Amino acid sequence: FDTIELPLDAFKAAAKAVEGSINDCFLSGLIGGFRRYHEEMGVAVKEMPIGFPISLRTGDDPMGGNKFAGSQYASPVAEKDPVERIRHIQRFVRETRAEPALDVMIRLTPVLSRLPMSAVTPLMSGFTAAQDAQISNIPGIPHAVYLAGAEVTHYWPFAPAPGCGMMIAMLSHNGRCCICINSDSAAVTEPELLVACLREGLDEVLA
């Protein structure tokens, strides 16, 4: 279990500079970090399978609830230009949102939720096991909050790794981006190196 903290304003500035989203910049930075990690480990990788949720909400959707699609993305690890990685991510998201099959999956979700866990778990694990990493970005509380009079300074979102090599989640809170890395030691044999490489990749995008 490892953590990285970065300022939210830096993500917002980077996103504005490239006409993208915070999530575009977050993913691009992580992908750059994955390339650095593989290079340090002496492994040449062109693409790396990762998964991340894509919001399907529109302005007509009511408040509350979730409406997203899980994606499987062949991330361009070999691409060294962080802006080119962002453009690649944006094209993938646009094409995924336009995929007609997504509507079928959304309609099936209520049916799947009624199945027993013993039936759903093998289905989901078969999907996520094909990914080296799952990545999630959750908007948090934009202002200070308190617990029993003490200010809550950080929210660290340690999410489970659902059958893949690592789960990386970012949650923003009051100007801070708290990034948590839950990696499987069988997949990530040098976790300290991974964290250093991910930080370099993220710093590159924020710069």
Side-chain angles (χ1 to χ4, degrees), residues 19-145:
E19 298 180 341
S21 68
I22 290 174
N23 202 54
D24 295 335
C25 294
F26 180 47
L27 288 168
S28 176
L30 294 180
I31 294 167
F34 294 146
R35 188 194 77 249
R36 286 171 166 82
Y37 179 76
H38 283 91
E39 286 175 349
E40 290 288 338
M41 298 296 287
V43 179
V45 178
K46 184 177 180 181
E47 295 178 337
M48 175 175 159
I50 66 173
F52 61 93
I54 295 177
S55 175
L56 302 176
R57 295 183 67 85
T58 67
D60 298 328
D61 288 321
M63 292 288 288
N66 290 320
K67 191 175 181 182
F68 66 90
S71 68
Q72 182 144 308
Y73 176 49
S75 62
V77 177
E79 176 58 66
K80 293 188 176 182
D81 186 333
V83 178
E84 282 302 312
R85 294 197 300 267
I86 287 171
R87 299 294 176 244
H88 194 279
I89 292 162
Q90 291 173 327
R91 287 193 297 272
F92 172 76
V93 170
R94 283 196 302 269
E95 291 168 2
T96 301
R97 284 177 173 157
E99 174 56 55
L102 284 180
D103 187 57
V104 176
M105 292 305 299
I106 292 170
R107 294 176 186 276
L108 281 175
T109 299
V111 178
L112 292 174
S113 67
R114 288 177 168 82
L115 294 175
M117 286 299 293
S118 59
V120 176
T121 300
L123 289 173
M124 296 306 296
S125 62
F127 176 72
T128 56
Q131 301 164 356
D132 288 341
Q134 280 264 325
I135 298 166
S136 189
N137 170 25
I138 309 110
I141 302 172
H143 53 78
V145 293

Side-chain angles (χ1 to χ4, degrees), residues 128-129 131-134 161-167 182-188:
T128 56
Q131 301 164 356
D132 288 341
Q134 280 264 325
C164 54
M166 73 189 91
M167 175 71 183
N182 175 7
S183 61
D184 186 331
S185 60
V188 180

